[in-house]
Amino acid sequence: MKRLGLVVVLVAFLALPVLAGRVALILDVGGRGDLSFNDMGFKGTEEACAAFGWEMVEIQSATSADYLPNIRNAARSGKFDLIICVGFLLADALNEVAAEFPNQRFAIIDAVVNQPNVLSIVFEEQEGSALVGALAGMLAAEYGYPYVGVVLGIEIPVLYHFEGGYRFGIDWGLKKYAEVTGKTANVGLLWVYTGTFSDIAKGKAAAEAQLEQGAVAVYNVAGPLGIGILEAVAAKLAKENREAGPPFMIGVDANQDWMGDGNKVVASMMKRVDVGCYTAIKMVHEGTFKGGVLSLGLKNKGVAISRYQDLLDFIDFGIKAGAITEADRERIIENWKKMRASIPEWIWKAVDELEAKILSGEIVVPKPETREEMLAVRAKYPLTR
């Protein structure tokens, strides 16, 4: 009888799934639920764990004071094959801990940490931002709006990439409008760094101010603040007794086109944080992990302007997040198609043209890394009225 019991226990043990690895995902203060940056990190990590049989442990940072102890405690535990830090603001803490634990593998999103055991995953945000900037500039010119807008988070080098690319793209789009129509449009840029990635009300207030001044679109470069930006766009349209833009929001990081019922987000600059996290886990799983810099841009689909298939994929993302339901799917798709079709076809072709020229190397979009470099880009593309 004892032997039979032993056999049953052994069979039950063998039936348990064997974990191939374990990853700690350390999130910035914005946390889950932003439907952009942090949620994309979670998405890619979750997908990699499912694909490779790994376990994920999510570690939230309540304040910036949590960065160092969160990373250090995860490394000290010795439980993780990989520790992923999601966000530029965790870089200093990771730099310190990586030196303390040289045998622990780390990855960080949006920063370069020069340690041999750290994979630094960065993005060519300026390339994708140039595409949505060109779109915004042409929309403003086409529909007679005096401004395009952008609401940014904390003034850090990563966000300079977004701003620099957006300014370049707006300028390019206005020149393309003049080339196509023979008319010159007087369009300016409204921009603000809010100093936060978590204060949704501040994002809404910033967007409201830009919309009241006549912005055709407000680009969300502040993660969770996009929720407030979209609320401002929806309120502006409701005031004008319209359901679809313009004005629009431009989404960021994830495909956010499905938000606002599919007709208030004209496009999204997709920054594939999910691809970065997935790739890091895949490298550890396959034994190819090494420290260094992995740069993701248009060429390797690290950034992109949203298209139809992305909408379909990310409706599922929205349903899983509980932001929409399955019953919303078809209405959102139809609204999106109608909204996109209402925009002149030459504008979408012009965006494709700019993308092709960036991919070929004919056009190199400015990528300011310092405040001085950002000031130089602002001086070259002032976009004032």
Side-chain angles (χ1 to χ4, degrees):
M1 201 68 178
K2 285 184 179 179
R3 182 177 296 174
L4 180 59
L6 205 58
V7 169
V8 171
V9 171
L10 181 60
V11 169
F13 176 77
L14 292 174
L16 291 173
V18 178
L19 290 172
R22 184 177 282 107
V23 56
L25 186 72
I26 301 181
L27 298 173
D28 199 352
V29 293
R32 293 291 310 284
D34 61 0
L35 301 175
S36 59
F37 189 82
N38 284 297
D39 282 352
M40 287 290 277
F42 185 88
K43 173 180 179 289
T45 303
E46 185 179 51
E47 289 174 353
C49 287
F52 305 122
W54 281 43
E55 178 189 6
M56 171 177 58
V57 175
E58 180 185 338
I59 301 173
Q60 177 62 55
S61 302
T63 71
S64 58
D66 293 332
Y67 299 157
L68 188 61
N70 279 349
I71 302 170
R72 182 176 281 139
N73 289 338
R76 185 180 287 139
S77 73
K79 294 179 179 179
F80 300 106
D81 299 276
L82 177 66
I83 297 171
I84 303 176
C85 300
V86 183
F88 174 90
L89 296 175
L90 282 75
D92 289 342
L94 175 56
N95 188 51
E96 185 174 336
V97 177
E100 297 171 3
F101 297 90
N103 296 321
Q104 172 67 59
R105 290 177 289 252
F106 297 92
I108 185 166
I109 302 292
D110 260 1
V112 174
V113 173
N114 292 311
Q115 298 283 356
N117 54 337
V118 177
L119 175 67
S120 299
I121 302 168
V122 296
F123 297 83
E124 303 298 332
E125 296 94 350
Q126 76 283 359
E127 294 179 348
S129 293
L131 300 183
V132 295
L135 173 61
M138 290 183 285
L139 288 175
E142 177 70 15
Y143 294 118
Y145 281 72
Y147 292 104
V148 296
V150 58
V151 173
L152 304 107
I154 298 171
E155 191 167 346
I156 53 178
V158 172
L159 266 61
Y160 289 154
H161 303 168
F162 285 92
E163 184 193 340
Y166 196 54
R167 284 179 179 273
F168 172 88
I170 295 164
D171 182 78
W172 189 94
L174 294 175
K175 289 173 179 172
K176 175 57 66 172
Y177 175 81
E179 176 189 317
V180 171
T181 67
K183 296 181 286 186
T184 299
N186 183 17
V187 174
L189 172 65
L190 301 171
W191 56 281
V192 62
Y193 282 87
T194 60
T196 176
F197 288 115
S198 57
D199 191 337
I200 292 172
K202 199 171 259 191
K204 182 177 181 179
E208 285 172 339
Q210 294 183 359
L211 292 168
E212 284 305 309
Q213 292 177 77
V216 72
V218 179
Y219 184 18
N220 169 30
V221 188
L225 272 60
I227 296 169
I229 295 169
L230 186 58
E231 288 175 356
V233 168
K236 178 71 171 175
L237 288 169
K239 190 176 179 181
E240 297 174 3
N241 294 314
R242 293 189 293 119
E243 291 186 2
F248 298 103
M249 182 176 92
I250 296 173
V252 76
D253 298 333
N255 180 312
Q256 298 183 320
D257 295 12
W258 56 270
M259 296 170 65
D261 222 26
N263 53 16
K264 298 173 183 66
V265 180
V266 68
S268 297
M269 198 296 276
M270 299 175 62
K271 175 176 169 179
R272 300 306 298 261
V273 174
D274 59 330
V275 172
C277 291
Y278 188 103
T279 301
I281 294 170
K282 184 173 185 283
M283 290 170 70
V284 175
H285 187 77
E286 295 179 347
T288 60
F289 180 92
K290 62 179 181 179
V293 177
L294 173 63
S295 181
L296 300 175
L298 282 178
K299 283 187 178 179
N300 51 13
K301 303 187 187 305
V303 300
I305 188 170
S306 56
R307 293 184 168 88
Y308 181 57
Q309 186 58 51
D310 303 310
L311 172 71
L312 301 183
D313 293 343
F314 276 83
I315 285 177
D316 292 332
F317 177 75
I319 292 171
K320 191 169 184 180
I324 54 174
T325 68
E326 180 61 42
D328 299 318
R329 183 187 297 273
E330 290 306 316
R331 185 184 69 258
I332 288 171
I333 291 171
E334 289 309 308
N335 284 347
W336 183 91
K337 287 180 177 178
K338 185 177 179 180
M339 176 269 293
R340 287 250 176 153
S342 72
I343 295 170
E345 187 178 358
W346 73 264
I347 290 179
W348 296 114
K349 287 182 176 179
V351 172
D352 291 342
E353 177 189 339
L354 176 57
E355 181 177 46
K357 288 181 176 180
I358 294 171
L359 285 168
S360 71
E362 180 180 342
I363 287 178
V364 177
V365 183
K367 185 181 182 180
E369 299 283 6
T370 64
R371 179 166 175 75
E372 291 70 27
E373 291 176 0
M374 188 67 251
L375 290 173
V377 173
R378 289 172 188 166
K380 186 172 183 179
Y381 307 105
L383 299 171
T384 56
R385 283 175 52 88

